[in-house]
Amino acid sequence: MTIRIAMWSGPRNLSTAMMRSFSARADCEVTDEPFYGAYLRQTGDPQPMADAVVAAMDCDWQSVARAMRGPAPGGASIWYQKHMSHHMEGPVSIADFPDHRHAFLIRDPVRVAASYAGKRTAIRPEHLGTARQRAYFEAEADRLGHAPPVIDSADVLADPSGVLSRLCHALGIPWDPAMLHWAKGPHPRDGVWGAHWYDAVNASTSFGPPPPEPPVLVPEYAVVAEVCREDYYALKRHAL
């Protein structure tokens, strides 16, 4: 029986490094942002490489959802699915995955906005996905009767083995120290957008050092981060 893990993240949240970490397990397969194409087709959001992403992916919401509920690639015992909460603009939501084990990866919105600044020139609060992350967290907490696991990217960088071992325990899977290191370069499961977005993680073989002090944002980015702050702190209270 496959354990399906849905990790709900926002962009620039250490999400690809986390996918690398799970992919280093011998018992785990990974999937990279399966609803990205459907999101772009529905919204027309002018993101880098949008045409290439749509051309490369299944862009039907229900078809993708069925695939994520279906057999794991290679029959893996653990299937880690990297989901972007801001992609979920269509008729599919966390409620369509009742048999998944859900977790939430968060990051200070000031750092997210600063990281985004180097990759695209216009962002809105919705692009950070924090409000939907909180809504999904609350829905899953109501369904379970307790809080699902939340991890903050800053905590992961400060103590990778401690945070990841607690995450594994919360997800009901064994801790595997192999999660602390991975092979340098692109991963076979990366989406085509990795050519634009994944340069830093492709150059890495492990989680990096804790981040420096948060940067000072230009005014329009500071506004975006401020809008997302309350939802971020609501989730941060539950961080492992």
Side-chain angles (χ1 to χ4, degrees):
M1 177 180 174
T2 297
I3 295 171
R4 292 170 179 78
I5 297 169
M7 180 64 82
W8 296 97
S9 179
R12 319 307 291 169
N13 273 23
L14 206 73
S15 58
T16 307
M18 189 63 58
M19 183 176 70
R20 290 283 191 279
S21 175
F22 272 85
S23 73
R25 299 178 62 113
D27 58 358
C28 186
E29 267 287 358
V30 300
T31 293
D32 192 12
E33 302 182 28
F35 290 101
Y36 196 4
Y39 163 79
L40 290 173
R41 175 169 285 177
Q42 173 148 337
T43 64
D45 190 9
Q47 295 210 9
M49 298 186 67
D51 290 344
V53 173
V54 170
M57 299 191 75
D58 180 354
C59 297
D60 179 270
W61 291 96
Q62 297 297 346
S63 174
V64 176
R66 286 192 297 271
M68 295 303 100
R69 295 189 298 259
S77 58
I78 298 173
W79 186 6
Y80 180 89
Q81 299 172 9
K82 171 191 167 191
H83 291 292
M84 294 287 109
S85 57
H86 71 289
H87 286 171
M88 307 306 287
E89 292 289 341
V92 175
S93 76
I94 192 172
D96 292 284
F97 305 101
D99 297 323
H100 282 57
R101 300 181 188 183
H102 298 277
F104 297 82
L105 175 61
I106 62 173
R107 190 184 188 192
D108 184 334
V110 172
R111 297 189 185 279
V112 178
S115 181
Y116 236 153
K119 292 294 185 180
R120 60 180 299 179
T121 56
I123 60 170
R124 305 186 303 273
E126 310 92 82
H127 288 136
L128 274 62
T130 319
R132 186 171 283 118
Q133 272 187 303
R134 182 180 181 181
Y136 280 10
F137 169 87
E138 292 173 350
E140 182 66 0
D142 287 346
R143 187 179 77 89
L144 295 174
H146 60 81
V150 177
I151 55 172
D152 190 300
S153 65
D155 297 335
V156 175
L157 294 176
D159 181 16
S161 61
V163 174
L164 292 177
S165 61
R166 292 194 293 273
L167 174 64
C168 289
H169 177 75
L171 291 170
I173 63 174
W175 159 239
D176 186 345
M179 296 175 70
L180 297 175
H181 300 278
W182 51 84
K184 188 176 182 179
H187 188 277
R189 299 296 187 189
D190 289 351
V192 296
W193 54 91
H196 178 82
W197 296 100
Y198 293 175
D199 51 332
V201 76
N202 286 344
S204 72
T205 58
S206 63
F207 292 101
E213 289 299 308
V216 176
L217 298 174
V218 297
E220 58 266 35
Y221 276 54
V223 169
V224 169
E226 185 60 31
V227 169
C228 298
R229 183 174 301 282
E230 181 180 348
D231 292 323
Y232 165 73
Y233 279 117
L235 292 165
K236 176 70 172 174
R237 288 196 293 269
H238 299 277
L240 297 177

